Amino acid sequence: MPRTSTLECPGCPPIRALTFDVLGLVKVTEARSKEGGIPKVVDRWGEPDSSKCILAASIDDRKSGPLLAIARKGGLIEILNPLNGHPCLSISNIIDNGPQPGDDAIVGLHLFKKQNLDLSSRSCTLLACTTKGNASMRSVELTSSHADSTSSVSSRTWNVCASGNILCSQVDGNENYALFGGKGVEVNVWDLEQGTKIWTAKSPPKNSLGLFTPTWFTSATFLSKDDHRKFVAGTNSHQVRLYDISAQRRPVISFDFRETPIKAVAEDQDGYTIYIGNGSGDLASVDMRTGKLLGCFLGKCSGSIRSIARHPELPVIASCGLDSYLRFWDIKTRKLLSAVCYQIIVMSNYLNLLFRSCYVVNFLC
């Protein structure tokens, strides 16, 4: 008989997480005990419908009137109340005479926070980007009743790539800059206020065999919320690259991680540590000042990791992937705290995760 070992999970501190899947469901997971709590799915928003698959999500977790934005497969963007899932409004991202949602799905969504600092304001600003690189930035009025369409206060559209497919996008912590990258698309950075591209990466040099590595970025994140000049990108060729747009167009640090594509990258609050997950379920932390691997998280995931979120205060990260499990990890010991099975088969690249505390309204990562 093969040897087996049981991995004991000590449980989680008070935590609340939101997950989004290919059936169009938003699931709320909570651990309510003070210490050693077992997280459970306590609520589910929506009905299973694969035609309403959730592709991207973003949240403005302010103390008064928080908002959650989700992008669905059919080109619809919905604004929800993240406390109870009640809909606030929905808008269509379909451009007149443009590509259909099936050929040009939304891959990136950001709900701006700085425009919503005025709590009396009844509008919100969204940035969306599609596979073909069609980016749109619009402000919409929040209405008292849920409607299928709303009038935009202002809107602006542009294209971030001439060819290829966008697979990842990210907005910096100050919400002044955004980066985009993908298959056949070098990572590029845009000034959102001016609407201009300020920097484009340059392909790495040829390898020892004289061959170029194909351009294929799968994930990216800014290294620090206060500095838009440095960001980390993961590639399909299992490379992790650190770029500094103030220094050069090629990576300042580049290294390989295992043998499968990098699927998720998340930054830590210290400004130099990142968490990476790949297509074979490996999860690790890296010090990007040197490119040193700090260690791998203990407790093998059996499916590709598609999303990683860092808790804003507790030393905890969460990961979810194609094995239909949501896992919570201690970032200090890199041990598994707990895991929750969602009992669905996820056969898609689309799975997202947001973090918030169940006791403090403005906790979110």
Side-chain angles (χ1 to χ4, degrees):
M1 293 293 292
R3 292 182 180 179
T4 60
S5 60
T6 302
L7 184 63
E8 295 185 0
C9 300
C12 296
I15 273 178
R16 187 172 193 252
L18 306 178
T19 57
F20 314 84
D21 61 33
V22 295
L23 296 181
L25 300 175
V26 181
K27 293 184 179 180
V28 183
T29 302
E30 291 184 1
R32 296 178 176 177
S33 301
K34 290 185 178 180
E35 290 296 336
I38 304 302
K40 298 178 181 179
V41 178
V42 297
D43 203 358
R44 187 184 74 175
W45 304 338
E47 296 297 328
D49 186 350
S50 60
S51 66
K52 295 183 179 180
C53 164
I54 299 177
L55 308 179
S58 180
I59 195 166
D60 176 9
D61 199 37
R62 56 188 176 184
K63 292 183 179 180
S64 178
L67 298 173
L68 170 67
I70 58 175
R72 296 190 182 273
K73 187 176 181 180
L76 192 68
I77 298 175
E78 296 180 2
I79 307 296
L80 309 175
N81 184 331
L83 301 179
N84 52 32
H86 291 170
C88 299
L89 62 87
S90 60
I91 56 177
S92 175
N93 195 59
I94 301 176
I95 303 174
D96 294 338
N97 301 323
Q100 295 301 307
D103 301 324
D104 197 22
I106 297 174
V107 294
L109 181 67
H110 182 79
L111 179 61
F112 284 82
K113 301 175 181 62
K114 65 180 181 181
Q115 279 87 351
N116 301 332
L117 293 179
D118 181 7
L119 299 181
S120 63
S121 173
R122 295 300 298 168
S123 66
C124 63
T125 303
L126 292 162
L127 172 66
C129 183
T130 67
T131 304
K132 301 300 182 184
N134 295 312
S136 61
M137 189 171 174
R138 69 184 75 182
S139 296
V140 294
E141 291 286 351
L142 295 176
T143 58
S144 56
S145 61
H146 179 55
D148 290 336
S149 61
T150 57
S151 58
S152 297
V153 176
S154 62
S155 63
R156 176 162 51 92
T157 61
W158 71 98
N159 196 280
V160 300
C161 65
S163 61
N165 292 325
I166 297 294
L167 297 178
C168 57
S169 67
Q170 190 76 17
V171 176
D172 77 309
N174 294 320
E175 299 183 322
N176 295 319
Y177 302 91
L179 65 85
F180 306 91
K183 185 178 181 180
V185 182
E186 290 290 348
V187 180
N188 53 88
V189 179
W190 289 71
D191 185 322
L192 295 177
E193 184 175 352
Q194 302 296 327
T196 57
K197 182 164 60 175
I198 62 173
W199 183 88
T200 304
K202 188 176 182 180
S203 300
K206 297 179 182 179
N207 60 20
S208 59
L209 299 177
L211 302 175
F212 281 109
T213 302
T215 300
W216 194 336
F217 292 96
T218 55
S219 55
T221 185
F222 287 94
L223 192 58
S224 170
K225 295 185 180 299
D226 299 323
D227 187 0
H228 71 279
R229 297 170 299 177
K230 296 180 181 179
F231 62 89
V232 178
T235 73
N236 194 68
S237 55
H238 58 87
Q239 284 188 340
V240 180
R241 301 175 184 174
L242 171 64
Y243 289 91
D244 185 347
I245 68 174
S246 63
Q248 60 189 42
R249 293 176 59 194
R250 281 179 170 156
V252 294
I253 294 178
S254 180
F255 59 89
D256 291 341
F257 177 68
R258 303 295 171 88
E259 300 296 331
T260 56
I262 306 298
K263 291 296 185 179
V265 178
E267 81 284 357
D268 194 88
Q269 297 170 351
D270 59 17
Y272 55 83
T273 302
I274 64 164
Y275 306 98
I276 53 178
N278 66 7
S280 57
D282 299 302
L283 180 64
S285 56
V286 179
D287 186 338
M288 292 307 297
R289 294 173 296 183
T290 60
K292 178 183 177 180
L293 179 68
L294 298 177
C296 293
F297 287 78
L298 306 177
K300 178 69 176 179
C301 302
S302 59
S304 173
I305 295 174
R306 295 305 170 95
S307 185
I308 304 171
R310 167 70 159 89
H311 196 281
E313 291 192 2
L314 300 175
V316 175
I317 64 169
S319 67
C320 58
L322 300 190
D323 62 354
S324 302
Y325 271 87
L326 169 63
R327 291 179 170 87
F328 298 94
W329 312 83
D330 187 315
I331 64 173
K332 295 180 179 179
T333 63
R334 291 187 289 275
K335 292 183 178 180
L336 182 67
L337 296 177
S338 191
V340 182
C341 179
Y342 281 86
Q343 299 178 349
I344 62 170
I345 304 300
V346 180
M347 299 298 292
S348 170
N349 293 341
Y350 309 123
L351 195 61
N352 298 279
L353 168 68
L354 293 175
F355 232 160
R356 60 181 291 138
S357 165
C358 59
Y359 293 109
V360 182
V361 173
N362 65 333
F363 260 17
L364 185 105
C365 178

